[in-house]
DNA sequence: CTTTCCCGACCGGTCGTTCGGTTCCCATTT
DNA sequence: AAATGGGAACCGAACGACCGGTCGGGAAAG
């Protein structure tokens, strides 16, 4: 009821940086970061152009905060128990499944992250952090390969790229409220991906001899 | 022969629209379309800003031509024999494999196409043509499903999206001159994708004896 | 000598950002 | 309960730089 305004007017609640960030990221995704002007941003927020600079020191700072939020959420997955303990294949499954869940939970921020191309210092910083994440996935795929589960002749690095490409592409079409829950989508996507890079027909790899 | 320039010099020969397009697309990919100014474009081409307007009537026209080139190449794949005749699974394999090959062959143009978000009339046009292509892939996945090859419980639409996401993501990291040829990459990617969406414990699909 | 290609100078408009000053919220004081 | 003080939120106007695009004329190719 604190939200419910008795007056019947459309409330124009005052902004704090995170609230404004939400609006800004929406615009950045819809129009593209570079193509979104501060004037459009201000109009979308129902503010004057100059008011935005009370919450953020620059346009790029808005982007930085948004990308940081996405990256923090992704890196948190790497620290989860399921991604650190157990056989490589199970860890990889957990990592992929949780990555999809985070992608969906923080959809706008991760979407923005995945569109960054390295045009500014902030974008380069985000790109490098993202590369670190990708490398961790690649290492896990390589570990999976050493247990003989990986498809013969498939380079682990290539497998990791294809996996991440598939998973990341979800941000381009998934919209909340659809028929598919985040958890279900994550399970299916991880399963499809892992099955794709795993051994084709012989489930019994010749011999990763006792080790 | 048109390529063979007699002079061994780093000639800065006069431009025609396609030559200029090549330079422009490079810039668009590196900086982003909106973030690339005509001045930067001109400098990259070694021309004055106004000279560009001798070859293209507007900045957007450059984008249109680039996107058209990518789309034409992709749609041509749909008309190939291998994509029209035979069992659905084989047609899908052909379509995916050839799509990767085209993506690699026309890498800059397809890359640009895949980054379009619909900010202008031209981008909306490209987006819709691309949706048509994607729909054709989805139809083929659905046809594959009706033959029982598709993994149980996997929605064909979802399978198609995951497939296309994986395949399209190749444009984000593939660089010509690497260790992997276009044909090899295409074979591997199509195989990984198809295996991912196909039945889990291979019940020996009744029909296609895979050439 | 015509056609193609190219240039510098310039246009109105928009960009991100700055600035001085006003309005709102709310804890504290009276 | 009324008055007050102060920081947070907000605004319109204006800045220099740069945007995409235009124009009339000059160089070079055929």
């Amino acid at each position: 009821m604190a939200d419910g305004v008795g007056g019947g007017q459309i409330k124009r609640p005052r902004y704090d940086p995170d609230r404004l960030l939400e609006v800004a990221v929406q615009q950045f995704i819809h129009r593209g970061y570079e193509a979104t002007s501060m004037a459009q941003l201000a109009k979308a927020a129902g503010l004057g152009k100059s008011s935005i600079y009370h919450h953020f020191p620059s346009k790029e700072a808005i982007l930085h905060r948004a990308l940081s939020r996405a990256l923090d959420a992704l890196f948190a997955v790497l620290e989860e128990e399921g991604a650190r303990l157990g056989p490589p294949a199970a860890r990889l499954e957990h990592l992929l499944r949780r990555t999809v869940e985070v992608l969906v939970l923080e959809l706008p921020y991760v979407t923005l992250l995945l569109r960054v191309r390295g045009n500014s210092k902030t974008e380069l910083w985000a790109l490098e952090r993202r590369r670190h994440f990708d490398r961790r996935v690649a290492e896990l795929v390589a570990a999976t390969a050493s247990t003989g589960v990986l498809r013969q002749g498939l380079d682990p690095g290539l497998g990791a790229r294809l996996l991440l490409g598939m998973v990341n592409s979800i941000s381009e079409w998934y919209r909340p409220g659809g028929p598919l829950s985040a958890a279900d989508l994550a399970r299916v996507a991880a399963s499809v991906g892992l099955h794709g890079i795993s051994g084709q027909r012989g489930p019994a790899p010749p011999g990763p001899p006792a080790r």
Side-chain angles (χ1 to χ4, degrees), chain A:
Chain A
M1 53 179 77
D3 279 347
V5 174
Q9 285 280 26
I10 302 175
K11 191 102 176 270
R12 259 180 249 302
R14 310 187 104 208
Y15 281 100
D16 69 356
D18 275 321
R19 244 187 225 274
L20 190 51
L21 183 66
E22 203 174 333
V23 176
V25 168
Q26 250 178 309
Q27 293 291 309
F28 288 162
I29 289 174
H30 188 247
R31 311 231 198 195
Y33 170 72
E34 313 262 9
T36 304
S37 73
M38 293 301 272
Q40 291 170 330
L41 231 174
K43 183 179 286 185
L47 286 181
K49 216 175 25 154
S50 53
S51 301
I52 298 178
Y53 288 87
H54 262 278
H55 303 282
F56 292 96
S58 69
K59 190 187 179 187
E60 199 173 340
I62 306 178
L63 180 64
H64 189 285
R65 181 139 175 168
L67 297 179
S68 190
R69 176 157 166 174
L71 285 162
D72 289 348
L74 287 174
F75 273 95
V77 172
L78 289 174
E79 304 305 321
E80 293 175 359
E81 243 187 52
R84 290 187 296 114
L85 309 175
R91 280 191 285 156
L92 182 56
E93 193 275 343
H94 179 93
L95 181 52
L96 285 180
R97 188 170 39 77
R98 290 284 299 137
T99 295
V100 173
E101 286 180 7
V102 164
L103 184 150
V104 167
L105 192 70
E106 305 278 349
L107 189 59
Y109 306 95
V110 177
T111 298
L112 199 57
L113 173 67
L114 294 175
R115 295 190 184 172
V116 156
R117 303 297 167 194
N119 276 19
S120 62
K121 224 138 212 171
T122 293
E123 299 195 4
L124 286 170
W125 162 83
L127 226 47
E128 183 158 353
R129 272 192 86 185
R130 200 185 133 194
R131 275 203 328 130
H132 285 167
F133 182 85
D134 291 359
R135 197 178 308 140
R136 294 286 294 269
V137 175
E139 288 167 3
L140 207 40
V141 172
T144 303
S146 72
T147 69
V149 182
L150 200 71
R151 175 206 204 86
Q152 277 184 5
L154 176 59
D155 174 64
L158 174 56
R161 282 188 218 260
L162 293 177
L163 271 182
L164 282 167
M166 193 189 83
V167 158
N168 287 339
S169 74
I170 291 173
S171 75
E172 288 172 21
W173 53 265
Y174 184 86
R175 296 294 171 265
L180 209 54
S181 78
D184 284 343
L185 172 61
R187 253 189 304 271
V188 171
S191 172
V192 166
L194 285 176
H195 189 228
I197 65 166
S198 69
Q200 185 118 24
R201 26 192 108 226
R211 175 53 150 84

